[in-house]
Amino acid sequence: MKASAKLAAALSRSARIAAGVASGRSTADRSIELQADANDVNRAAVMDITQGTLRRYGRVQALVRLLSARGSAPELVQGLLWCSLYAIDSGRYADYTVVDQAVKACAPLHIENAKGYVNAVLRSYLRDRQAMEKKLAEDLEATYQHPRWWIELLRDAYPTHWQDVLAEGNTHPPMCLRVNRRRVSARDYAVRLESEGITARTIGEQALLLAKPVPIERLPGFQSGDVSIQDAGAQRVARCMDLAPGLRVLDACAAPGGKAAHILETSDVELTALDVDATRCERIGQNLARLGLRANVACADCTHPSAWWRGAYFDRVLADVPCSASGVVRRRPDVKWLRRASDVAAFAARQAAMLDALWQVLAPGGKLMYVTCSVFPGENEEVVSRFLTRAPRAHRLPLPDGGPAQWFPSSEHDGFFYALIEKAA
């Protein structure tokens, strides 16, 4: 198959995914399809076009609105136009090739009657690109590639650097490794990477930041448990929980097990890992087994302690709670377009319920670590402040690593929030 023909196939598959996001479906709904095509030479192109389109979703949507004379087109037609506009902007393909293959992609999408429309819109963009750019500069969503409510929320919360947070949310995420200190040192593993032609630098005791992402298969010793993939921001947990051998530790929302594994790699503790989903609990077990680690894994809802707690208090509790994922959105660019402004308050209510429930199982003198992968204060400082008000025995401690509670996404790590809360004896 010629490269140009491959582009038509990639555009049609990407268009289906993009159209799904527009109708409220996550790209995760398409993960099985993409995995099934793992050996397909088009897979890389599909992933590039899909992710690239969703990172520029605000821009391509605005362009179609400006270029279309017939009003709103069917979702698949719009999805094809969004993906085609990204393909043009990417510079990976000749402009005429994208137009030609976009028209041909109408056939597998069963939208043959839209061929003329697709051709006209794309050619209009190529003809009037400069004028389009001037108009896009006036569109907030097209400029910052985030929903308007999201932009306004960050602008109100961080008036001096909201634009930087948004910009990082549009970048490609870094690939960071966590070296299993029970098996190998970070320094020695870095040497092994170098021998494989992989460049990395240390950014913590166990963290190695790769110069560019590589497939898991290229990581020496991955299957034998020498190393895991984990963002540097997520690796703050183990060094900020004040761990010590023999402590009873609860990871209340543990799947897929990365933070639980890091805790066990760091200290000889007695760990219980909970998750409400049975399939995700299986993943916890699989990840721990690969690393040669053990924990008590249970499928349970942490907000109902009576269903799983047997009365023995925990010395440390990790509450890595569900959230908007606004700090890791560059890894799942569809998320920002699937979220709604009301979701922040809904997550905050759920987070508060989790804190209240988990406080019951924390021993006097114990410490609870509250974690989100969010940059929204409504899920972070505000949730913690309200909890401290209604829990008189709770007081907040400085983080042991001396860093701020809120980490914003950067070239080294994603965005995370951490709060360490102690229960008075």
Side-chain angles (χ1 to χ4, degrees):
M1 185 183 293
K2 294 183 178 180
S4 58
K6 293 177 184 177
L7 178 57
L11 285 171
S12 65
R13 287 168 58 191
S14 299
R16 290 187 184 280
I17 300 173
V21 172
S23 64
R25 297 194 302 274
S26 168
T27 55
D29 295 341
R30 294 287 178 177
S31 61
I32 295 176
E33 173 188 323
L34 292 174
Q35 288 297 326
D37 294 324
N39 296 322
D40 185 347
V41 292
N42 276 349
R43 187 172 186 269
V46 172
M47 294 300 291
D48 170 66
I49 294 172
T50 301
Q51 296 291 321
T53 299
L54 293 174
R55 285 195 177 94
R56 292 183 154 219
Y57 197 44
R59 172 186 170 83
V60 295
Q61 280 189 314
L63 278 173
V64 172
R65 287 195 298 268
L66 288 170
L67 292 164
S68 178
R70 65 159 67 172
S72 180
E75 284 182 355
L76 276 179
V77 177
Q78 292 193 68
L80 177 58
L81 287 171
W82 298 333
C83 292
S84 301
L85 287 166
Y86 164 73
I88 290 172
D89 286 346
S90 73
R92 293 185 176 88
Y93 314 95
D95 293 344
Y96 71 88
T97 298
V98 177
V99 176
D100 175 69
Q101 293 303 296
V103 171
K104 290 181 178 177
C106 291
L109 290 172
H110 305 294
I111 52 172
E112 288 91 342
N113 60 344
K115 286 182 176 181
Y117 172 66
V118 169
N119 180 70
V121 169
L122 295 179
R123 290 189 180 280
S124 179
Y125 173 61
L126 295 176
R127 183 177 60 251
D128 302 324
R129 191 181 297 190
Q130 288 187 337
M132 292 294 103
E133 294 299 334
K134 290 180 180 179
K135 292 181 179 180
L136 288 179
E138 302 171 1
D139 188 310
L140 202 63
E141 291 189 353
T143 300
Y144 294 107
Q145 308 301 330
H146 287 72
R148 179 177 290 273
W149 68 265
W150 191 304
I151 296 168
E152 293 174 347
L153 193 59
L154 290 180
R155 187 168 55 190
D156 291 343
Y158 312 112
T160 62
H161 56 281
W162 60 275
Q163 291 165 306
D164 295 334
V165 179
L166 291 170
E168 284 293 340
N170 293 327
T171 62
H172 289 274
M175 183 173 183
C176 187
L177 308 181
R178 186 190 75 242
V179 179
N180 186 350
R181 64 193 298 177
R182 293 184 178 272
R183 295 177 179 267
V184 62
S185 70
R187 179 177 297 179
D188 288 344
Y189 191 79
V191 173
R192 289 170 63 183
L193 288 178
E194 187 175 3
S195 69
E196 297 289 335
I198 301 172
T199 303
R201 61 183 176 88
T202 58
I203 55 172
E205 291 184 5
Q206 295 169 256
L208 290 172
L209 186 69
L210 301 189
K212 60 181 181 180
V214 300
I216 290 177
E217 299 77 31
R218 287 198 59 196
L219 298 176
F222 179 85
Q223 293 301 331
S224 58
D226 290 351
V227 68
S228 299
I229 299 172
Q230 186 180 43
D231 185 79
Q235 293 187 44
R236 288 188 81 189
V237 163
R239 65 176 181 267
C240 286
M241 284 187 69
D242 190 19
L243 300 169
L247 293 182
R248 299 189 72 251
V249 179
L250 171 67
D251 185 349
C253 306
K259 295 181 180 69
H262 193 191
I263 289 170
L264 291 169
E265 290 172 0
T266 302
S267 187
D268 292 317
V269 299
E270 181 184 339
L271 180 74
T272 296
L274 298 184
D275 198 88
V276 72
D277 184 270
T279 301
R280 287 166 60 83
C281 281
E282 291 181 8
R283 288 190 62 193
I284 298 173
Q286 292 166 358
N287 285 330
L288 293 179
R290 180 181 65 83
L291 296 163
L293 303 170
R294 293 184 179 181
N296 173 33
V297 179
C299 181
D301 184 344
C302 70
T303 62
H304 297 94
S306 61
W308 57 267
W309 185 47
R310 299 296 177 260
Y313 290 99
F314 294 95
D315 304 298
R316 300 287 184 273
V317 172
L318 171 59
D320 183 13
V321 297
C323 69
S324 64
S326 53
V328 297
V329 71
R330 59 189 175 183
R331 297 187 185 276
R332 286 284 307 281
D334 59 317
V335 166
K336 58 189 173 186
W337 302 106
L338 294 169
R339 293 277 184 251
R340 298 292 179 264
S342 58
D343 291 343
V344 178
F347 276 118
R350 187 178 180 188
Q351 292 153 1
M354 289 182 169
L355 279 174
D356 291 342
L358 294 172
W359 195 246
Q360 301 174 40
V361 307
L362 181 66
K367 298 174 182 178
L368 181 149
M369 175 66 78
Y370 177 81
V371 181
T372 76
C373 55
S374 173
V375 293
F376 294 147
E379 300 178 276
N380 297 336
E381 288 290 353
E382 293 175 20
V383 169
V384 171
S385 295
R386 287 194 292 267
F387 174 73
L388 294 174
T389 298
R390 66 178 181 270
R393 295 174 64 189
H395 65 277
R396 190 169 173 180
L397 300 173
L399 292 170
D401 67 356
Q406 181 70 69
W407 271 18
F408 296 103
S410 73
S411 60
E412 291 190 344
H413 55 73
D414 289 331
F416 284 87
F417 176 84
Y418 283 83
L420 186 61
I421 305 170
E422 185 173 49
K423 190 174 192 178

